[in-house]
Amino acid sequence: MTERSKIPPGQQVVASNKWPVIGERDPAVGANADWTLSLDGRVKESVSFSLEQLQAMPQTETVIDIHCVTRWSKLDVPMSGILLKDLLQHVELESDAKFVSFVSRSERKHSTSLPLDVALDHDCLIALCAEGQPIELGHGGPIRNIVPRKYFYKSVKWLEQIEFLAEDRLGYWEGDAGYHNLADPWKEQRYMAATIDRRTAAKLIDSKDFSGRDLRSIDASNRNLDGLNAIGAGLRDASFESCSLVGANFSDANLSNANFVGADLTNAAFSKTDVEGADFSGANLSGVDMRDCSLIGASFFDDQGGNRASVESTKFSKVQLDSLSALQREFVEETGIVDQI
Ligand SMILES: Nc1nc2c(c(=O)[nH]1)N[C@H]1C(S)=C(S)[C@@H](COP(=O)(O)O)O[C@H]1N2
Ligand SMILES: [Mo]
């Protein structure tokens, strides 16, 4: 298989040796807490295993490709742990156990779910090691769920419960943030569409006031939105393709995976904005200060290296460059203004 064909559409490979921490950074308990994993819900009898018991079970080694919905991928990551299939030998499922929910020991009580047959078909792994070492706390150690061949939000960090269900129960990213429940990177199943109707969307676009609203996936392309107020707006997956957005204010907004292809963003405010996976190909970013934005997986030119953004007077910070792919990084370093501190 060639390198290329391992990369799903719209993804770019992170700089080698980089593995960004995404979402929650710590479990709700300290590193030295006791860890157990319970299997319950639609089972005849619940069971629970200590970390030591899990470590003593036969370990399966595998190599996975990580594909984050915010457009970065990390290829060929060695993982080891216990296959869900093997763990299932320790419980007897009720006949109506059709779904499985992976629940995290985290502040936000994250969970994610899959149809049980999909989890088994995808070789879902209860991982204890990554890259030959016990998984680091920030990456979900000591016990992490890994679901190969799905966007990485289907892999919860700090796994403490595997609950078998008769009906599906949406997880945190799927239910609260609108991520797609099927999550197939090869089909680009990233987000569910916006919840507002077209007439409301059209009115909001005319008002140029998006502040504080959830406008996920809104199509505002080809408009004059100079001076737009989008402070704190939820604009994941929104399209601003070819818009004029001179002086627009996106402070504190979530613009993850937003499309700014060919947009004029001269002097727009991006203070504390999440622009992970956003596409700025061909955009004019003159006078934009991006130093405190979350930039993981963002791009400034297309896959062929064309349609380059104008970042001549755009400010970046050195630490941000780490989260760009090697080629995007090179471009920003050469053409933007990089703050060395
Ligand atoms: N408990 C928990 N698990 C989580 C998340 C989270 O915020 N909390 N984020 C998910 C998302 S969106 C991604 S991309 C991956 C990131 O894993 P990493 O930080 O090890 O790269 O974890 C997934 N699992
Ligand atoms: Mo993610």
Side-chain angles (χ1 to χ4, degrees):
M1 205 197 278
T2 66
E3 270 300 89
R4 239 261 76 116
S5 67
K6 277 170 69 75
I7 308 171
Q11 296 292 118
Q12 22 175 16
V13 178
V14 274
S16 53
N17 308 325
K18 296 290 178 225
W19 182 357
V21 172
I22 303 288
E24 296 176 299
R25 310 187 79 83
D26 295 294
V29 292
N32 299 320
D34 283 339
W35 285 85
T36 56
L37 175 64
S38 62
L39 278 63
D40 52 30
R42 304 302 299 149
V43 295
K44 299 266 195 271
E45 209 175 319
S46 309
V47 283
S48 114
F49 302 101
S50 66
L51 177 59
E52 292 69 29
Q53 286 173 312
L54 292 172
Q55 285 162 338
M57 291 178 185
Q59 307 290 301
T60 296
E61 290 183 16
T62 177
V63 177
I64 66 148
D65 294 335
I66 294 173
H67 304 300
C68 176
V69 72
T70 56
R71 301 189 185 276
W72 59 269
S73 293
K74 182 173 173 64
L75 304 181
D76 302 320
V77 187
M79 296 271 175
S80 67
I82 306 104
L83 286 171
L84 178 64
K85 181 181 71 195
D86 294 340
L87 209 55
L88 275 181
Q89 290 170 3
H90 301 268
V91 282
E92 200 182 331
L93 298 177
E94 299 284 1
S95 60
D96 64 355
K98 297 283 182 249
F99 293 88
V100 56
S101 176
F102 301 95
V103 185
S104 163
R105 189 180 192 177
S106 73
E107 222 104 83
R108 294 191 297 214
K109 264 267 167 200
H110 268 237
S111 68
T112 192
S113 68
L114 288 169
L116 182 55
D117 55 357
V118 173
L120 294 172
D121 174 71
H122 283 50
D123 292 328
C124 171
L125 184 77
I126 313 310
L128 306 179
C129 290
E131 301 179 316
Q133 302 289 329
I135 301 178
E136 285 171 25
L137 198 68
H139 287 304
I143 307 171
R144 177 180 193 153
N145 172 40
I146 292 288
V147 182
R149 290 153 52 205
K150 293 286 188 193
Y151 283 124
F152 209 32
Y153 57 84
K154 288 288 180 186
S155 298
V156 291
K157 306 195 260 195
W158 319 295
L159 181 68
E160 71 166 354
Q161 182 192 11
I162 301 178
E163 189 179 350
F164 297 93
L165 303 168
E167 309 274 342
D168 196 9
R169 183 179 66 210
L170 289 184
Y172 174 86
W173 291 110
E174 299 89 334
D176 292 41
Y179 286 24
H180 203 295
N181 198 28
L182 298 180
D184 182 344
W186 297 96
K187 295 184 181 158
E188 289 210 76
Q189 292 167 328
R190 296 178 195 269
Y191 297 96
M192 300 303 287
T195 43
I196 53 161
D197 61 79
R198 291 173 66 149
R199 189 173 300 161
T200 315
K203 260 197 193 150
L204 279 163
I205 291 170
D206 286 339
S207 76
K208 293 193 185 183
D209 185 0
F210 289 2
S211 55
R213 288 175 183 270
D214 175 12
L215 299 173
R216 170 174 22 106
S217 305
I218 195 171
D219 181 2
S221 56
N222 295 297
R223 306 288 297 235
N224 183 321
L225 291 168
D226 289 346
L228 176 74
N229 174 0
I231 299 173
L235 291 165
R236 283 192 171 95
D237 200 38
S239 176
F240 291 103
E241 187 164 348
S242 304
C243 280
S244 185
L245 286 157
V246 177
N249 191 341
F250 290 106
S251 301
D252 291 310
N254 190 321
L255 287 161
S256 189
N257 286 9
N259 174 355
F260 286 110
V261 175
D264 185 355
L265 288 158
T266 305
N267 294 328
F270 274 88
S271 166
K272 300 201 174 67
T273 301
D274 179 345
V275 283
E276 293 178 6
D279 189 348
F280 294 104
S281 305
N284 182 351
L285 286 160
S286 300
V288 175
D289 185 348
M290 298 219 129
R291 285 175 299 180
D292 58 6
C293 292
S294 180
L295 264 188
I296 298 168
S299 49
F300 300 89
F301 50 81
D302 64 29
D303 291 350
Q304 285 74 45
N307 204 19
R308 300 190 159 224
S310 160
V311 299
E312 278 90 6
S313 53
T314 310
K315 288 184 187 151
F316 299 91
S317 65
K318 200 165 188 292
V319 55
Q320 282 177 316
L321 303 189
D322 279 354
S323 49
L324 297 174
S325 73
L327 288 174
Q328 299 285 345
R329 177 191 177 130
E330 227 167 80
F331 170 70
V332 164
E333 258 171 345
E334 278 169 18
T335 52
I337 301 171
V338 179
D339 202 337
Q340 294 303 315
I341 20 162

